Amino acid sequence: QSLASEGEEEEMPEEEEEEATREGRAPVPELVAAKKPEERSKKQQCKSLAEAVGTDHGPLGKRLESKPRVPVRYCTLGTRDSARNPQTLVEVTSFAAINKFQPFNVAISSNVLLLLDFHSHLTRSEVVGYLGGRWDTNTQLLTVLRAFPCRTRLGDAEAAGAVEEEVKQPWRGGVGYPICVSPRSPGPYYHGNPGVESKIAPFWVMPPPEQRPNDYGIPMDVEVAYIQDGFLTNDVLQEMTLLVEFYKGAPDLVKFQELWSQDQTYLDKLKGSLASRTPKDQSFTHILEQIYSLLKLSS
């Protein structure tokens, strides 16, 4: 049974929905018709998980952002609701789990991954940016060729709008409805990662069916092919330098001279993670070392 069919639920009455909104909880509608016992059990598990996520059992005075954000299951979402927290994390699922094939192929260049990884290593705050690429209708292949890190703070809405327009300008006139693939990562310093290399896993939000336009899209795990670039391009090196300048002196800049583990500094961790994403041509190594030196001095 697909996740989409699990979410087939009727709207809550307006009075009950308003009451849920006043209480600060996201309404979880009941099912339309009686389900099989095993389906009821599955739905109850999802509902219980959503309730557990919304409960704060942390000690008093603990900063909320320090708590790990636990993703909820898609089947708890129901239809779109303005009362739901827009920052809610939702578990991804595989196409095999819903008996479907991935409708397109994705390839990502190593330069893109290197820039993404470098950006996320610089700060302890969440980072954002855009990806740009080429869509081939004949082969149904999306090739991600460029990364555009946003040199803004998440709370600075005015600057974010300007950066967005700047990034979008060269890419206008493309497909009417772009396929948006996003990378997801628990963070480069997440100790659950084996070794020093960051885990970057792309996902795609599958649009809801036409007959249910008010449903949320389903986040799907995307299989990708990685393209090993021959050399570092000037735009990547420039973006890296600009990022260092942007975060220089910021309170959330990572202190790269400090120890990340017993025998490795944060700078060692960064170099180790980027090592698997560096191009075949090593002629730019000296420029990378200059950037690393700037980082060490900045922090």
Side-chain angles (χ1 to χ4, degrees):
Q1 186 180 23
S2 73
L3 290 177
S5 61
E6 286 182 14
E8 290 179 359
E9 304 158 352
E10 66 179 359
E11 299 264 349
M12 294 180 71
E14 287 188 9
E15 299 82 6
E16 190 175 343
E17 187 169 349
E18 289 176 0
E19 180 183 349
T21 303
R22 286 195 301 271
E23 295 177 1
R25 58 185 174 84
V28 182
E30 296 299 323
L31 297 179
V32 175
K35 296 287 186 179
K36 297 177 183 178
E38 61 270 20
E39 291 175 336
R40 283 176 176 268
S41 174
K42 184 188 302 182
K43 185 66 183 176
Q44 189 59 44
Q45 290 174 5
C46 290
K47 185 173 179 180
S48 299
L49 177 60
E51 291 169 347
V53 168
T55 306
D56 183 3
H57 296 294
L60 291 176
K62 185 175 182 181
R63 293 182 61 184
L64 184 62
E65 60 268 27
S66 65
K67 290 188 60 180
R69 295 165 63 195
V70 182
V72 301
R73 297 183 183 180
Y74 173 80
C75 55
T76 67
L77 297 179
T79 54
R80 294 183 184 275
D81 182 2
S82 59
R84 179 173 292 280
N85 183 351
Q87 304 300 324
T88 300
L89 294 183
V90 184
E91 286 184 355
V92 297
T93 189
S94 66
F95 284 97
I98 60 173
N99 298 318
K100 291 182 181 291
F101 292 103
Q102 187 171 308
F104 53 86
N105 300 311
V106 181
I108 300 181
S109 83
S110 60
N111 278 349
V112 168
L113 293 177
L114 183 140
L115 187 51
L116 288 177
D117 205 15
F118 180 77
H119 188 191
S120 62
H121 271 87
L122 297 183
T123 173
R124 298 188 180 279
S125 302
E126 185 176 353
V127 300
V128 294
Y130 289 87
L131 301 177
R134 183 186 302 115
W135 169 249
D136 189 320
T137 306
N138 296 324
T139 60
Q140 298 288 290
L141 173 64
L142 176 67
T143 307
V144 182
L145 300 170
R146 291 284 302 276
F148 301 90
C150 287
R151 295 183 296 279
T152 58
R153 297 293 176 183
L154 293 184
D156 192 346
E158 185 176 339
V163 170
E164 183 175 340
E165 283 303 312
E166 180 184 342
V167 169
K168 279 181 171 180
Q169 200 63 38
W171 298 90
R172 295 192 191 281
V175 293
Y177 183 79
I179 293 178
C180 299
V181 175
S182 304
R184 58 188 168 90
S185 169
Y189 301 115
Y190 174 59
H191 283 279
N193 287 335
V196 296
E197 184 178 339
S198 303
K199 181 181 179 182
I200 300 175
F203 74 97
W204 171 62
V205 179
M206 184 167 64
E210 292 183 3
Q211 65 273 22
R212 297 185 61 86
N214 292 326
D215 281 6
Y216 287 97
I218 308 176
M220 306 299 300
D221 205 4
V222 173
E223 293 185 2
V224 299
Y226 296 102
I227 304 169
Q228 183 68 36
D229 287 303
F231 56 91
L232 274 178
T233 55
N234 287 328
D235 60 278
V236 172
L237 293 169
Q238 183 182 17
E239 286 288 355
M240 293 174 77
T241 305
L242 291 173
L243 284 169
V244 174
E245 288 296 318
F246 177 76
Y247 287 104
K248 184 171 61 177
D252 54 349
L253 176 67
V254 171
K255 298 185 185 304
F256 286 96
Q257 72 274 22
E258 294 184 354
L259 287 177
W260 172 70
S261 63
Q262 289 183 344
D263 56 350
Q264 288 182 312
T265 65
Y266 281 92
L267 188 59
D268 294 330
K269 160 69 174 74
L270 169 62
K271 291 181 177 181
S273 187
L274 297 188
S276 62
R277 317 189 199 281
T278 51
K280 300 173 184 176
D281 181 7
Q282 298 298 314
S283 61
F284 284 94
T285 303
H286 68 286
I287 300 180
L288 284 178
E289 287 299 329
Q290 290 177 12
I291 293 174
Y292 296 150
S293 298
L294 286 175
L295 271 182
K296 198 169 182 179
L297 292 172
S298 300
S299 59

